[in-house]
Amino acid sequence: MDDLLHEFLTETNESLDTVNVELVRFEQDPNNAKILDNIFRLVHTIKGTCGFLGLPRLATLAHSAETLMGKFRDGMPVTEQAVTLILATIDRIKEILDTLEQQQKEPEGADTDLIDQLDRMVTQAPAAPTLAPIAASPVKTVGTLSDQVLERPLKPGEVSLDDLERAFRDTPGPATPPAPKVAPKSESPAAANGSKDKDEEKSESKVAAQSIRVNVDTLEKLMTMVSELVLTRNQLLEMARRQADSEFKVPLQRLSNVTAELQESVMKTRMQPVGNAWQKLPRVVRDLSAELGKEIELEMHGAETELDRQVLDRIKDPLTHMVRNSADHGLETPADRIAANKPEKGTIRLSAYHEGGHIIMEIADDGRGLNTRMIKEKAISRGIANAAEIGKMSEAQIHRFIFAPGFSTAAKITSVSGRGVGMDVVLNNIDQIGGSVDVKSIAGEGSVFTIKIPLTLAIISALIIEAGGERFAIPQLAVIELVRVKNNTEHRIEHIKDTPVLRLRNKLLPLIHLGRLLGLGSENAKEAESGFIVVTQIGSRMFGIVVDGVFHTEEIVVKPMATKLRHISAFSGNTILGDGSVIMILDPNGVAEAVCASTQSAISDTAHAADAADAGHIQNKTSLLVFRAGSHETKAVPLALVTRLEEVEAKKIELSNGRHLLQYRGQLMPLIRVNDQVKIKNDGTQSLLVFADGARCMALVVDEIVDIVEDILNIEIPSEQPGILGSAVIKGEATEIIDVGHFLPLAFADWFRGAGSANNAPAHRNLLFVEDSAFFRNMLTPVLKAAGYEVTAMSGGQEALAIVKSGKFFDVVVTDLEMPGMDGFALADAIRGHRNSANTPIIALSSMTSPEAIAKVRKAGFHDFVAKFDRQGLVAALKEHSDDTHKAA
Amino acid sequence: MTPTRQRERIMKTNEDAHREETEYVTVMIGEQLFGLPIERVHDVFMPGHLTPVPLASEEIAGVLNLRGRIVTAIDMRCRLGLPKREDKSESMAVGIDCDGESYGLVIDSVGEVLKLRDDSREPVPVNLDSRLARVAACVHRLDQELLVVLDVARLLDMKPAAKAA
């Protein structure tokens, strides 16, 4: 890009931000000539530069805005519409600048709409007084205006200056100029700054000479170099430590100090006042207050607090969102406020200050506070927690639910907020920079959101730990405490089924084995009984990472992972330690994700032991059709397998060749009884479960359809009896689970072979089928066999991987995603990583079919994704992918 | 070979007909001699302490600290589908840069630098093992043996990155 243009863009964008802020201040304090001068100068500069660079559209716009502001200078009362119009003009200028930055030229089009409005306001200004009541005299105006004439010729859309002048003079002014609408003078620090500006004015030029503009890249580079220096120093110190008496000691100490100072100074260059992130907010609040019909005052404290620019960038959006939330949900309408004995004007207070290596930022409002009752109801209706759990929670814990995904309590959706994407995104953004958010709220008095963020992201303090024989770094910020575990002591690891947990001060802490998570763990399961637990908190989630050893803390320089390794979510980067070795930095968020898969109830401190165990099976809930057939005991079949439920007149059932048939949708449908005890009725209606596959269908005859329930399908007692998979507890009753796969071939012997589809498929292709649930294993194995595969069914990722590693070759792998221990993702990764199977197609099966899940699966490199019950889809996917491999081979 | 380089070569040809040559750093991987264009090779080093990267694909041998830079080491035997090395002698690594990141190709040993005439290049035989064929640029017939020239860009185009793109 043209250097000149680049410079112009940077400068103008900065100026516009300032204009935005200043205008809002000006509206509140229209008599402050200082502010107006400031705005006028900025817009004038923009106009001038645009003319110089040959940007007519921008110049015209800026000119019109400037003219209107000139009127303000001459004493025209500042109305809200006028300010809104100028703000709109500035928005338009910004739009044009954006396009300019991308395309290097002004976008096509004209801004006659805005210019007309601006001009109309100038010419028809109802209150343009003939006698300027304030300082600036008309003579001076003429001077300014005629200056413009000299500078450049008139542009299209502009009113000639003479016309303007005439209109200005001819407009009959009211006898006495109406008192300018003065907003109650605010005590906000923004206004206070305004008066301070006067003093600063004199020193302004000096300050300007003392600062220079530096490219951000240069600073980044400098930071990288300092980081290297820090590493080298750490290395040298390490060496010196090993040598008892070294003449290097003293100079080394000196080097160390200088390095530390240098590091600090360079960090300082990257620091920016928090106020930079707040710059947009006065404007946001102003617009909001107009939109919502609430009077809002924005107070800002500690805008000078400095923060690393990288961090600053990341919190800008969450901050805006939270301020919007406070204005929209937090503050009441003026009527409500008066009713509640509060000042009509609501206040949002932003403050920032340092606290031990962190910046604390608070967004407080004096509104109605969080509605605990509504949050409770929402949490229950969204299935985030049940009533019993909520009953045990403190108010603060309930308030934390607002950070749960998809949680929005706004009764009505406004354009401002309340679209259900909100605080969870805020929490997420802040999590990513290692910060945390908390909320305190008192009903009727307001809420305070507290954001705690680290000063910088480049150099962090980390705890060095060991797991599976390798060392890793955990950011100190994420570590809450360390617990040493030993058998037979108070702190020991207990298991609920296979889920390790720790009892810590009456809380149950879900644990994750780092070695095992990273696939480093030896097969020895007993190793877990001693070691250390790093207690970690990510947002509201608390969990323990089980590690083998803990060393020390060290200042580490975060280096990004190589692109080839960036897909591993467990790591956020890597670093070089003082001893020169490279180690991985664990990403607590990534680890939390892994934990989250098995512990969703971590929000509740008092989570009952059984809950924690249950949580692992949440995804495994299945919709089941419960019915009776032959006996009083209930039977069930997964609802997804059933195509339709039918009630037919018993008379229509015909008997032919010893089989019961029904004319159904133009064809004969065979009826099969679930067992011999089922009587096909002679009159009345008969309940049928219809199963269809392509053109063919069959029906199971049952006595009575009882219910459709959603429950965890866990077959506890397998059955030897054909047609019955086993018994499970469904809604508290022992229920037989029907094996549909058994009945289908009874109707059509060649059911699974399909209508000739699989007949030409070459047999004896090897398929590896991994599925932890016995039910699905039993259900799908015959389907897969019928599709022409030699099926090896495995009940878990580890076993499956073992057989792949043993050298057995598979044409295709079908795996469940949610499995205890090694899940489908880890398995797929491992299979990919194995030499023999790197190109084997892998098809994922899952009961979760949300778009996120599908996207995740695609990203993880699966060849296809099939819903668990979609038998046809599975067969089609298999055909497609195994054909691929055969062609490729 | 990039168009620019071809153009350069043509220009050089005009200057001097004997300059139609490319220099290769030769390396042994398994029993096979491979060549890497010398301008892609930054340095040759002994991969000292390698830190394995858990959950990474098998081709990633680990990461290491090379004079303050973190280098991703790629196990070339694994990448080319060759069996793991049995003798315990020290491996070597060839350092290359790609898109601002450093990689180390872990190989068995480094040979001499050969200057080979471009017109003796042969296309990659169609029946070559697919894992080798996809990273091979061409083949040179030497007196004693064949030299397979590796395409560095394709060599580094590994699965996860390809998917992300």
Side-chain angles (χ1 to χ4, degrees), chain A residues 228 470 472 517-518 520 559 562-568 571 574-576 580-582 584 829 833-835 838-839 861, chain B residues 49 51-58 60 63-65 68-70 72 81-82 101 103 131 134 156 158-161 163:
Chain A
E228 299 293 345
E470 292 295 328
F472 298 94
L517 173 75
L518 300 178
L520 295 169
K559 289 174 178 261
T563 43
K564 309 282 183 241
L565 304 173
R566 224 164 269 169
H567 62 285
I568 307 170
F571 305 125
N574 40 27
T575 190
I576 300 175
S581 55
V582 181
M584 303 289 139
D829 233 344
H834 197 261
R835 186 161 30 83
N839 293 320
Chain B
H49 178 70
T51 305
V53 183
L55 307 180
S57 61
E58 209 180 5
I60 306 288
V63 288
L64 61 98
N65 171 8
R69 291 193 76 172
I70 296 182
T72 309
L82 300 170
E101 292 183 342
Y103 295 90
R131 275 172 298 197
R134 72 186 170 202
L156 295 177
M158 282 180 288
K159 279 237 164 77
K163 241 170 266 139

Side-chain angles (χ1 to χ4, degrees), chain A residues 492-503 507-511 598-599 601 607-617 820:
Chain A
R492 64 177 189 274
I493 297 176
E494 296 172 73
H495 287 86
I496 300 169
K497 272 183 90 181
D498 293 328
T499 315
V501 292
L502 175 78
R503 249 188 265 185
K507 289 183 202 169
L508 214 50
L509 194 70
L511 296 181
S598 57
T599 56
S601 62
H608 201 262
D611 287 352
D614 272 351
H617 295 283

Side-chain angles (χ1 to χ4, degrees), chain B residues 21-29 32-45 76 92-96 105 107-116 138 140 142 145-152 155:
Chain B
E21 289 175 332
T22 311
E23 281 186 287
Y24 296 99
V25 176
T26 61
V27 299
M28 284 300 284
I29 307 169
Q32 178 61 48
L33 187 69
F34 290 92
L36 289 158
I38 198 163
E39 71 273 6
R40 296 303 303 262
V41 177
H42 273 242
D43 44 0
V44 175
F45 57 93
M76 286 302 288
M92 290 298 289
V94 177
I96 53 174
L105 308 179
I107 42 134
D108 296 357
S109 60
V110 180
E112 54 194 330
V113 173
L114 292 180
K115 197 181 268 187
L116 297 172
C138 62
H140 273 287
L142 305 182
E145 54 193 330
L146 293 173
L147 173 89
V148 179
V149 176
L150 293 173
D151 183 315
V152 174
L155 202 59

